[in-house]
Amino acid sequence: MKLSKLSHPIARATLAWAAALLFVVIWYFAAQTATGYVFDVKPWSSNYARDLAAHLIIAALLFAIARSLPRFMLATGVLLSALTAGNAAKLSILGAPVMPDDFVAARNMLLLLDGWLLIGAVILVVAPLLLLGWMIAWKHPRTWVGLGIAGVTLSLVVGYPGLVKTALDKRFGNSVWNQPENYQKRGLPIHLLQETARNLSRRVSPPTEAEVADALADLALPSQAGWVKVAAATRPPRNLHLIVLESFWDPAELKASKLSADPLAPEFRALWAAAQHSHLLAPVFGGYTANTELEVLCGFPVTADNVYFETGLKRNAPCLPRHLAEAGYHTQASHPNAASFWNRVNAYRRIGFETYLADKDFAMDDMNRAFLSDASLYRQVLERIEPELSEGRPLFNYVLTYFGHLPYPLNDKRPAVIEAAEGHEVVAAYANTLYYKSRELMAFLATLRAADPDALIVLFGDHLPALQPNFGGYTESGLLAKRRGELEGEMFRTLVQTPLIVVDGKRGPVPVGDVPAYKLPGLVLDLLGDQRPSIMELATQAEGRAAIRPLPGMHFALVDGGIRVCRGTETDPQECAESSEWVRAIETLRDDLLAGDQHSLLQIEAPSESFREAAVAPADATPERYF
C-alpha cells in the first residue's frame, strides 16, 4: 500500500528510532557479556532493566541530535563501549568503579603509560569525543533544543546536588565503603550521576571555629596545650631519609603462585626480621600513591576515595617538610615522574619542600620501559646529597621510587629469574620486579648507611600491587576475597599492609609494629628527638587507644592482637562508636588545617609563633617549579 506524503516521513522516523534503540539494546547485552567474560565485572542481572533504561535515555538524547542513524550507531557504540570498558578495567584492577574524580585525573593516568598502551588509552579518550562531534547535526534546530534540555538538566544537578543526591540515595541506596556494590545495584549511568551529585554536594564551606573546637574536645586531649611537647630539642639535628617504595610488598605470601624462589633479597629479609616485621598500614590498594604520601608527610588520614593532593590540599600547612625546614633542614623531594603528576608541584610546595627533583632533573639512563630503575634513581640522588652530608646543615631526603608499576616491565639488564605456576604470569612479573627492586634497595642502603651512619632511615611500600582482576593473585592464596564487599576481618589488614623498616642510626633497625601511615611522622619526630609543637601529633591517639586505620566509608582498629572492623552499619559492635567519633573529629581538623581557615592553630596553645606564621601564610596557587 502506498504511503501518503504525511505518513511516509513519520514511518521512516519511527523505523529509525526503533532501529536506534534496538541497536542500543543489542549493544547493551553484548557489552555485559563481554565485560563479564573478560573482567568478571557487570551489574547484577536483577538490575539490568533499570541500567538498560538509563542507557536508552542517553541514547534517545544522542539520537535526537544525530545527523543519521549510521553516525549515531558508530559514535554511540564507541562512547558507551569506552565508558563500560574503562569502568570494568578499573573495577577489576583497583576494586572500585569509575568515579567523577577519575575524569579529572585522566591526564595523570595517561602519564603512567607508554607505547601501545598509551596510544590505546588516548584513542579510548579522544575517539568518542571526535565521533560525537562528527555525529551531531550542528545546523539543525532540534540539536540546539536537545542541547538546551541537556544543559538545563546539568544545571539542576550542579545547582541542587544535595537534593539530587538525597533522592537518588533513597531510590537506589548507597554504601560508602562498598562502591563496587553501588555500581552493581545502579549500573554505570545512574552510578555516575549519583556520585557526581554527591561530589558536588561535598563542596561545602570549610569547618567553622565552633566545629573545630568540638573536634578538639572529641579527641579527648588532656588539655588544649597537651598535644604539643616542650619546645626544646633533646638531640642535635641529624639527617632523615624517607624512602617510599612503589608497590613494595612480600610476594612470598602468594602461596598458590608457587614461586620458584624468594623474590626479596636475603639482606632485606634479615633487616626486616631485625625490625620484627613491622608494617605500614596504607590508606589505599593498588594505586593513589599520593594519599599515602599525604599521610606520611602531614600526619592526617585520608578517608575518601579521591586524591587529597588534588582535591583537598589548598593551604600552606606545617607538615613534616615545613616543620623540619623551620629547624634548619634542607627539605628535598625526588621522584622521577612528571612533575605535575597528582598535583605534586603545588602539593610539595604547600607542605614545605624546598627542592623538588622530577623527571627532567634526572638522566633517564636505565629505563624499564617508562620507569627509571631504582638503581639509577638512588645513584643520582646520592650524587646530589653527598656534598650536603658533610656540610653540617641537616637534610630531609625524601625519595619516591617509580619502578614497580603495573605491568611490571623489565629491561635486558634484568632478565626474569623467578617462575610461577601456570596462569600466574602477572605474579611472576611482579616477583621478578621485586627481585631487582629489593636488591637495588639494599645496595643503596649499604652505601647510604656507610656515608651517613647516624641518620634516621625509614622505608616502606606505598601500597600493595595490583595483580589480576578482582583481587586475583591474592584470592587463590586465601589472602583476599574476590569482592570488596566480601572482605572480612584480617583481610582488611592484608589489603593495606606493606613492609616497614626504621633504621635508627647506629642503633640499627627498631621494631615499631603495625603503624597506620598517618602516625609515621609523629614516630619520626620522636626518633629525631624533635620536641617542638607539631600538627603531626593531633592524629596520634592517646595511650591505651587502639590504632585506627580509616578507609573510604569504614575503618578498622587493631585491638589486643586482633582486628575490629567498623562499616558504619547497625551491625557494628558498640565499640565502633568511639572510633567513629575519632575519625569524624580528625577529618574536621585535617580539613581545617589543610584546606580551611586553620582555626586549630589559634585554638591550641603553642609556644612557637613561627609555627603559626608559617602555617597561616596564604597558599600560592602558581604552578611554578622550584628546586
Side-chain angles (χ1 to χ4, degrees):
M1 179 178 177
K2 188 175 180 180
L3 295 173
S4 68
K5 291 183 179 179
L6 179 61
S7 63
H8 187 262
I10 293 177
R12 288 176 56 189
T14 301
L15 286 173
W17 273 95
L21 297 181
L22 179 60
F23 165 77
V24 174
V25 172
I26 294 172
W27 169 89
Y28 178 82
F29 286 103
Q32 302 313 320
T33 301
T35 55
Y37 178 77
V38 176
F39 299 103
D40 195 18
V41 168
K42 57 184 177 180
W44 288 338
S45 56
S46 59
N47 296 320
Y48 274 8
R50 72 166 57 136
D51 188 30
L52 177 57
H55 279 84
L56 288 173
I57 291 172
I58 295 172
L61 291 173
L62 292 174
F63 188 60
I65 63 176
R67 292 188 185 185
S68 66
L69 178 61
R71 292 195 182 205
F72 161 82
M73 293 170 69
L74 179 59
T76 302
V78 171
L79 172 65
L80 296 180
S81 296
L83 288 172
T84 301
N87 177 67
K90 186 189 175 191
L91 259 169
S92 64
I93 295 171
L94 297 180
V98 167
M99 301 290 280
D101 286 327
D102 293 326
F103 294 94
V104 177
R107 176 178 173 274
N108 286 324
M109 293 296 98
L110 293 177
L111 290 173
L112 285 174
L113 306 175
D114 67 340
W116 288 107
L117 286 176
L118 177 60
I119 294 172
V122 170
I123 291 174
L124 197 67
V125 172
V126 174
L129 299 177
L130 293 178
L131 287 171
L132 280 177
W134 170 74
M135 178 202 77
I136 295 173
W138 294 104
K139 296 182 180 180
H140 202 289
R142 73 172 186 275
T143 296
W144 297 102
V145 173
L147 292 176
I149 293 173
V152 169
T153 303
L154 181 62
S155 298
L156 290 174
V157 175
V158 173
Y160 304 95
L163 293 177
V164 174
K165 173 189 73 70
T166 301
L168 293 175
D169 284 353
K170 185 176 181 180
R171 178 66 182 84
F172 301 112
N174 179 59
S175 172
V176 182
W177 76 274
N178 193 358
Q179 289 295 340
E181 183 177 286
N182 285 340
Y183 158 73
Q184 290 173 315
K185 286 181 178 178
R186 307 164 181 167
L188 187 56
I190 296 173
H191 171 74
L192 283 175
L193 175 62
Q194 198 164 340
E195 293 310 311
T196 297
R198 191 181 321 283
N199 222 22
L200 292 171
S201 67
R202 286 196 192 108
R203 297 176 183 177
V204 296
S205 300
T208 65
E209 188 173 355
E211 289 170 336
V212 169
D214 289 342
L216 288 170
D218 288 341
L219 288 179
L221 298 171
S223 68
Q224 285 195 331
W227 69 281
V228 299
K229 303 175 184 178
V230 297
T234 58
R235 303 179 192 171
R238 56 185 177 137
N239 297 327
L240 167 64
H241 304 277
L242 193 62
I243 306 164
V244 187
L245 301 162
E246 172 61 42
S247 301
F248 196 91
W249 185 70
D250 184 2
E253 295 190 32
L254 303 174
K255 304 298 184 183
S257 296
K258 299 179 180 178
L259 297 177
S260 60
D262 184 356
L264 294 180
E267 298 85 356
F268 180 86
R269 288 277 183 206
L271 192 67
W272 194 20
Q276 296 184 15
H277 297 101
S278 298
H279 290 95
L280 185 90
L281 302 179
V284 289
F285 169 87
Y288 284 19
T289 297
N291 283 347
T292 301
E293 290 188 87
L294 187 282
E295 293 202 359
V296 301
L297 293 172
C298 291
F300 287 96
V302 178
T303 54
D305 190 18
N306 51 37
V307 177
Y308 203 88
F309 271 8
E310 290 199 323
T311 61
L313 183 58
K314 300 174 183 177
R315 296 298 304 269
N316 287 348
C319 296
L320 186 62
R322 175 164 284 115
H323 181 87
L324 293 177
E326 289 178 359
Y329 279 73
H330 173 212
T331 56
Q332 173 178 295
S334 301
H335 179 46
N337 189 5
S340 59
F341 199 94
W342 292 141
N343 196 33
R344 285 190 176 99
V345 169
N346 288 319
Y348 283 175
R349 182 180 62 252
R350 288 170 183 163
I351 63 177
F353 278 115
E354 298 172 323
T355 304
Y356 174 24
L357 305 174
D359 55 350
K360 292 182 172 56
D361 305 299
F362 293 95
M364 298 297 173
D365 54 4
D366 183 10
M367 304 296 291
N368 299 279
R369 291 192 197 166
F371 308 116
L372 181 66
S373 73
D374 286 357
S376 178
L377 171 63
Y378 295 146
R379 186 195 75 245
Q380 296 184 64
V381 168
L382 275 172
E383 290 172 353
R384 289 180 179 269
I385 68 172
E386 276 180 333
E388 296 189 57
L389 299 181
S390 58
E391 285 181 355
R393 184 187 182 190
L395 171 69
F396 174 25
N397 174 39
Y398 177 77
V399 181
L400 173 60
T401 69
Y402 196 24
F403 172 51
H405 263 286
L406 190 75
Y408 314 117
L410 297 173
N411 59 22
D412 293 339
K413 297 179 182 178
R414 298 175 177 82
V417 296
I418 297 176
E419 298 177 352
E422 185 177 353
H424 293 246
E425 289 76 16
V426 175
V427 173
Y430 175 69
N432 280 289
T433 295
L434 264 288
Y435 177 90
Y436 291 103
K437 195 170 178 70
S438 61
R439 283 157 176 79
E440 292 169 17
L441 170 66
M442 295 311 297
F444 171 59
L445 282 182
T447 304
L448 183 62
R449 294 180 71 181
D452 199 3
D454 293 320
L456 177 62
I457 303 173
V458 182
L459 58 97
F460 53 88
D462 59 346
H463 52 68
L464 270 68
L467 298 172
Q468 297 279 29
N470 302 312
F471 297 132
Y474 300 96
T475 56
E476 296 87 341
S477 298
L479 298 177
L480 298 174
K482 193 172 184 179
R483 308 289 184 203
R484 185 178 179 87
E486 298 169 0
L487 297 179
E488 295 180 353
E490 286 294 330
M491 289 183 178
F492 283 103
R493 192 196 317 233
T494 299
L495 185 73
V496 297
Q497 184 173 263
T498 68
L500 167 64
I501 297 177
V502 177
V503 180
D504 188 14
K506 294 176 181 177
R507 288 179 60 199
V510 293
V512 294
D514 288 350
V515 181
Y518 62 86
K519 295 185 72 172
L520 192 63
L523 173 64
V524 164
L525 291 177
D526 280 343
L527 290 171
L528 288 175
D530 189 326
Q531 300 294 299
R532 294 172 299 132
S534 162
I535 65 169
M536 278 76 76
E537 296 294 326
L538 284 171
T540 301
Q541 293 89 8
E543 284 295 323
R545 179 176 288 183
I548 300 170
R549 174 63 273 175
L551 296 171
M554 61 160 293
H555 64 275
F556 66 81
L558 304 181
V559 184
D560 298 328
I563 185 171
R564 180 173 65 236
V565 178
C566 302
R567 297 182 175 90
T569 66
E570 294 179 359
T571 59
D572 279 350
Q574 186 175 359
E575 294 86 347
C576 286
E578 180 183 353
S579 54
S580 296
E581 182 178 274
W582 178 88
V583 171
R584 287 191 293 270
I586 210 64
E587 285 176 331
T588 297
L589 298 183
R590 177 199 65 200
D591 293 342
D592 171 61
L593 285 161
L594 304 185
D597 297 323
Q598 299 183 323
H599 297 295
S600 307
L601 299 178
L602 303 177
Q603 292 191 24
I604 299 173
E605 180 183 346
S608 170
E609 287 301 321
S610 63
F611 166 72
R612 291 179 182 167
E613 292 169 1
V616 181
D620 178 7
T622 305
E624 62 183 356
R625 293 290 306 281
Y626 58 101
F627 303 93

